[in-house]
Amino acid sequence: MKYVHSLMLPIAAVGVLMFPAISPTASLEPIDSSGVQVQRQEQNGIAYLSGGVGEDESKAIQQATGYNLHMTFSTGPASQYIPDVDVIIQKVEGQPVLTLSEAGPLVYVQLPPGKYTVVATHKGEVRRETADVGSGAARNLVFHWGTEN
């Protein structure tokens, strides 16, 4: 039995070294969603999820399928999740398609294919990104504010 344990430790260490970027919040382990409050919502025919404050809620959103725009909101040097971001997603021409108040820290949206501008505001500081979403892999946007105000 000692031989098995001594063999497993180097194998586990190699696994950790090979995959250091995988965080515990990105785990694909099944969760007990019975206590999770994340609900699919809809505005102007656009489906979305917003939440992720706790670990189970975060995992539930990260495991959701069918959303082609994934947004993450964080602040500070430790990139702490922040849940109180105002978000406007608009077509490039400026027409709003989704407006959320106090969203996040994770927001997953199912948009029709096209090019969009996302405006995220946290404590008066605005961040802007352009996203070209389609029917392929989801587009990931990370909005980060340097320090907590």
Side-chain angles (χ1 to χ4, degrees):
M1 193 65 164
K2 284 185 179 183
Y3 177 74
V4 171
H5 287 295
S6 64
L7 179 62
M8 292 306 290
L9 183 58
I11 291 172
V14 168
V16 169
L17 292 174
M18 288 178 63
F19 303 104
I22 297 175
S23 70
T25 57
S27 170
L28 296 178
E29 294 177 20
I31 59 162
D32 177 11
S33 60
S34 61
V36 178
Q37 298 299 316
V38 177
Q39 298 294 322
R40 180 185 179 275
Q41 298 178 50
E42 195 170 305
Q43 182 185 108
N44 301 325
I46 305 295
Y48 70 93
L49 298 174
S50 177
V53 175
E55 186 176 344
D56 282 348
E57 195 174 285
S58 177
K59 283 182 182 179
I61 291 174
Q62 291 170 350
Q63 291 177 11
T65 59
Y67 297 90
N68 56 7
L69 178 63
H70 299 175
M71 294 177 282
T72 304
F73 308 116
S74 64
T75 188
S79 294
Q80 297 170 314
Y81 277 177
I82 49 175
D84 54 350
V85 177
D86 294 333
V87 178
I88 299 171
I89 300 175
Q90 55 195 15
K91 292 184 180 178
V92 173
E93 306 84 39
Q95 176 189 4
V97 294
L98 184 67
T99 302
L100 304 175
S101 295
E102 298 183 0
L106 301 174
V107 175
Y108 281 25
V109 184
Q110 177 58 53
L111 293 166
K115 197 166 199 166
Y116 298 89
T117 298
V118 180
V119 181
T121 306
H122 174 65
K123 295 189 176 181
E125 282 191 54
V126 177
R127 301 286 185 264
R128 235 178 257 285
E129 291 283 341
T130 302
D132 195 359
V133 297
S135 57
R139 176 78 161 90
N140 293 302
L141 298 180
V142 177
F143 295 88
H144 183 80
W145 287 264
T147 58
E148 190 66 51
N149 294 338

